[in-house]
Amino acid sequence: MQDLITFERTTKNMKKITITLLSLFIMTTSAQAQFEIEKLFGGINIGWATPQGDVTTYAQGGIAYNGFLGYKVGDKFGAGIQLGETLLGGIDSSGSTGFLGLNAFGISTAQLKGWYSPLDGDVKPFASIALGAATVEEPSVTINGEEIPGKTSTGFGGEAQAGVSFQGVTLTYAYVLGGQGPEEGNWNQDVGGLAFNYSRISLGFIYNF
């Protein structure tokens, strides 16, 4: 028996959400009296996600990464968009949950984000809040050529983050509201409506144009 587990990307919904958020960001920056390219900044983060609450029954941790693009508003504030992916998993030795004891979930986010940094200089502490959409997905499973389709659920998502930047290199901690599990999961029926919240510690980099 050859088992193949693949994540089905929920491109339609997330693509619409991403385009909407990007349009809002462009309209906001275009509304400024003078657009200045040097006020643009962008970056990436990659780190470890630790599930919180009841979802720990099914997942114990995973990889999280995101990318963002922002525009400085004054000396201490910034606004922009953030897109992220998180892969959570866990192993149930009893085999009573998931697929033969293996649990896996994907979380995609598309959000508007605001930053605040009170200090200038090489070392900069900062905080941010992001609000938008989050999609939780159980992967599809192909067994002996027969596919069991994955299940998805899209709803509200957000995060609160605090961190420090040293010459563009960042260390951050965030608490993330990752959406809710699909109402009719293909592996675990009990994940329906379950909050997929998690904490995240990340290393990253910010580039100022």
Side-chain angles (χ1 to χ4, degrees):
M1 178 185 294
Q2 186 177 19
D3 299 339
L4 175 63
I5 300 176
T6 57
F7 278 99
E8 284 187 345
R9 296 300 177 188
T10 54
T11 54
K12 274 191 177 180
N13 287 339
M14 294 309 292
K15 198 176 283 186
K16 289 179 182 178
I17 293 169
T18 301
I19 291 172
T20 300
L21 293 179
L22 185 59
S23 299
L24 286 172
F25 173 67
I26 292 173
M27 286 188 293
T28 301
T29 55
S30 298
Q32 302 293 323
Q34 291 183 332
F35 179 82
E36 301 175 41
I37 190 69
E38 61 268 22
K39 289 188 176 182
L40 280 174
F41 62 92
I44 57 173
N45 293 292
I46 184 168
W48 183 256
T50 302
Q52 305 291 323
D54 292 338
V55 72
T56 55
T57 302
Y58 307 98
Q60 286 78 54
I63 300 296
Y65 54 93
N66 60 53
F68 56 87
L69 179 66
Y71 187 81
K72 295 176 184 176
V73 183
D75 296 330
K76 298 180 179 181
F77 295 92
I81 60 171
Q82 176 174 276
L83 305 177
E85 293 281 344
T86 301
L87 305 175
L88 297 178
I91 298 176
D92 180 359
S93 59
S94 70
S96 60
T97 65
F99 177 70
L100 301 178
L102 175 64
N103 292 282
F105 304 93
I107 302 174
S108 302
T109 57
Q111 300 168 329
L112 291 174
K113 188 169 185 175
W115 289 264
Y116 172 71
S117 181
L119 301 176
D120 292 324
D122 289 339
V123 179
K124 294 182 180 180
F126 63 90
S128 65
I129 291 179
L131 300 173
T135 295
V136 178
E137 178 181 12
E138 276 193 312
S140 60
V141 182
T142 301
I143 304 175
N144 292 334
E146 182 179 349
E147 182 181 38
I148 303 174
K151 303 292 185 178
T152 64
S153 174
T154 300
F156 172 78
E159 73 168 47
Q161 178 181 259
V164 62
S165 170
F166 176 69
Q167 295 183 343
V169 178
T170 62
L171 175 64
T172 60
Y173 172 84
Y175 189 85
V176 182
L177 304 178
Q180 295 185 335
E183 288 297 334
E184 296 182 2
N186 57 350
W187 293 4
N188 295 299
Q189 298 296 323
D190 294 336
V191 301
L194 193 66
F196 275 71
N197 300 334
Y198 58 92
S199 60
R200 184 188 69 227
I201 297 178
S202 302
L203 283 174
F205 183 77
I206 295 178
Y207 176 76
N208 293 290
F209 289 82

